[in-house]
Amino acid sequence: MKFSEQWLRQYVNPDWSTQELADALTMAGLEVESLESLAPAFSQVVVARIERVEAHPNADRLRVCHVDVGQADLAQIVCGAPNAAAGIMVACALPGAELPGGLQIKPVTMRGVQSAGMLCSAKELGLSQDHQGLMLLEEGLPLGQNLREALRLDDQQFLLKLTPNRPDCLGVRGIAREVAALSGASLAPRPVIEVQAEIADRLPVRIEAPDLCGRFCGRVIRGVNPKAQTPKWMKDRLERAGQRSISALVDISNYVMLELSRPTHVFDLDRIKGGLNVRWARRGERLKLLNGQTIELDEQVGVIADDQAIESLAGIMGGDATAVSDDTSNIYVEAAFWWPQAIAGRARRYNFSTDAGHRFERGVDAHTTASELDYLCALILEICGGQAGPLDDQVIALPERKPVQMRLERARKVSGIDLSPEEISTAFTRLGIGFRWLGCAEGIERAQDEVIEVEPPSYRFDLHIEEDLIEEVVRLWGFDRLPQRPPKASTLMREAPEASRSLLQVKTLIAARGYQEVINYSFVSSALDESVSGEKGIALLNPIASQLDVMRTSLVTGLIDSLRFNLNRKAERVRIFECGRVFHKQADAEADLLEVAGIRQPIKLALLAYGARYAEHWSDSKRLVDFFDLKGDLESVIGTDRFQCRKWVDSEKLPPCLHPKQSAVIEVAGKHAGWIGVLHPQLQQSLELSSAPVLAELAIWALTDKLMPSPAAPSKFPPVVRDLAFVVSQALASEELAAGLKRLGGTRLVNLTLFDEYRGKGLKDNEKSLAFRLRFQDTERTLEESEVQGLLQQMIEGMQSACDARLRS
């Protein structure tokens, strides 16, 4: 809401400076978003008139003007403006004047002719960008008067950032009402105007949709002059509120809207066929609006129609067919109360918004519809002339405003202020809101549980519950006066679980490995997401962008987008991770996921490493990151005792984004947790990546769960170390052989290490030799050789039967 300070002070003029006024409005909840001077600083610029113009003797493009600046003698000023002519009123900067930008005006000689001043354009005064000629002033201004006084340029433009619950402040008078309540200054009374009917003409109006329109007022005015000039005071107020002058009839309607927050509409009466009908539109009907846009309507949009066509989009914008023009002589003026729920969102369906729709969808006072239409008609008759018909006022249904009660003790508790009944009564009195105290018949001294009952005014749509009333009292009391007290609450010292990590601890550990956290949209491209996970994502009904059309099924999709974003900005080494939810249609049950309408939303963590293994350094070989680098990072976070990678089995679905020979399943504590691998070459090529990034995605529990430490005393007895080398098939994984040896070795096998793998001479082409070092130890006694040999023989025989392994000779 934009308005000028001078306009506001016509209704209420508190003893505040401009800045104090802006601060008071902001602290009362009407945020002043900007405060701008109407004109930049300049001095000694006066109203003048050019009396005669002569050609310059030494310059073709210059002229010598003799100017009346309100002094005894005419001032001689050399001017090059193309519109300089005798008889025009202009702005003249006298010698000694200072213009915007620091320009000093002094008497000078121009091509041999003395010039005592400067005739100014609007651009030179900082009033507009027009520099085509001199700034022309209206006739009748006193010659020699200071231009700032003559044009009332010492004004400020306020721009309020209003919240949706305060539509009553979308008019200057509503803001004035607030200022009067805040300051205690008197509010100029609203003029009571009754337009006397001089003709009996009426336009029949039928209300078919009571859920669209609650009250409809209209009046016929004949014989108006559409070419009448809008008064300068009205033009100035409109322009300083951000509205350009169009024509007298349109300007008057806009002025009433800005002053009273009352949108109205003026129809060309002669273009209306028959009567008007207020109804919901029918599917397929079309309307050409005042902005030139033709829209197709349906049953969700309210309209005003005549007997042949749609003439207006109810509460939003009029139609082009009945718009007033220079040929208009008879008009029909309309003001109505449209239900907010019937207007809300309708203009946005057609990708535009209007000041009228902005107000009606928030709420306009229904009880003042007739009186404000009279005010509009009075202005039209005064400026454009004409004869008015009787007022047609149809009241169908008005908003019901129920009384709201507020407990004194509750107000004190919520606000933190020891409010007195006098302060509460004063606040509602200054706001002009009716109230009465309940439970006490006399005096101002009331009990602690006293209750005040408030009758919300018809223009306040935001007073419904007790907290709304408390807010009003505190606003008037002063938000800036609220005491700053630290909160008081009992706290408990909670024990930190040792068997789990917090999400912050997990992120800190990963960041310590050189990764940076990213946060991506949960909306991703369906094509890329399906190429990553092989699963179709959940489609969005109304995506924020065409390429973000599904919910992600894998965090890797966002990481790949982030990688490409960084590579396009010349990044060479990227280490990123993200933690968040993914979304699946399947209904598998997991302990850490949130079920919503059959959609699984497990929390995952994904990592991506790309580029060189280490940051650039003279001692590094610049080797690219590989599978084992990312595996090592995860092992360091999860722990080598719990972390394990294994091959994919036939029953498991390999994500299509992974290289089939350079990927693995991640198991943590023996449970499936996720996957790790190198990006598939085909996807790498389609994404135009110079090298393949290494990716991993796993369930969050795999990182938050951790082993409890189990202390054990070291053995006092010496260990026994033996080496065994087995010849096995090359298809057998070393981890399978190691797991079997650990199982057969029992508790006395305290350590097992693979220290050699051999393929070549002495072995078949499909065989390999795996050599293990075994460490046996007992905590109670020294192991005898026979016991160790018995364990070794048990291992040899067990592996021979389980894996067809034989000792290497």
Side-chain angles (χ1 to χ4, degrees), residues 46 68 193 242:
V46 300
D68 187 349
I193 297 175

Side-chain angles (χ1 to χ4, degrees), residues 627 630-631 634 645 658 662-664 666 674-678 694-696:
F627 175 94
L630 185 55
K631 176 177 176 288
L634 288 174
C645 285
L658 295 181
Q662 298 182 41
S663 59
I666 296 176
W675 50 261
I676 181 173
V678 177
V694 187
L695 314 164

Side-chain angles (χ1 to χ4, degrees), residues 63-81:
R63 281 173 284 185
V64 180
C65 300
H66 299 272
V67 183
D68 187 349
V69 295
Q71 299 176 359
D73 298 326
L74 298 180
Q76 179 175 286
I77 300 175
V78 177
C79 176

Side-chain angles (χ1 to χ4, degrees), residues 212 263 265 302-304 312-318 334 336-338 342-343 347 354-361:
L212 169 64
H265 188 63
V303 297
I304 301 175
S312 175
L313 198 59
I316 299 174
M317 185 183 289
E334 164 264 314
F337 170 72
W338 308 99
I343 304 299
T354 65
D355 290 332
H358 182 78
R359 286 163 172 78
F360 279 124
E361 67 184 2

Side-chain angles (χ1 to χ4, degrees), residues 437-456:
W437 289 94
L438 304 178
C440 185
E442 57 182 357
I444 199 67
E445 298 296 328
R446 296 175 173 87
Q448 291 292 318
D449 59 349
E450 189 60 44
V451 175
I452 187 172
E453 185 176 81
V454 168
E455 294 283 346

Side-chain angles (χ1 to χ4, degrees), residues 572 611-625:
E572 297 179 351
R613 181 184 183 189
Y614 299 115
E616 187 173 0
H617 191 264
W618 62 268
S619 64
D620 184 47
S621 62
K622 298 183 180 180
R623 178 179 69 81
L624 295 178
V625 68

Side-chain angles (χ1 to χ4, degrees), residues 1-8 21 25 32 155-160 169 171-172 175 237 240-242 258:
M1 174 65 191
K2 182 183 286 188
F3 61 94
S4 75
E5 181 180 3
Q6 290 183 1
W7 191 2
L8 177 67
L21 176 60
L25 287 171
V32 178
D155 198 0
Q156 300 285 329
Q157 281 182 317
F158 282 70
L159 178 61
L160 299 188
C169 291
V172 177
I175 300 169
R237 290 183 177 181
R240 296 175 189 186
L258 293 174

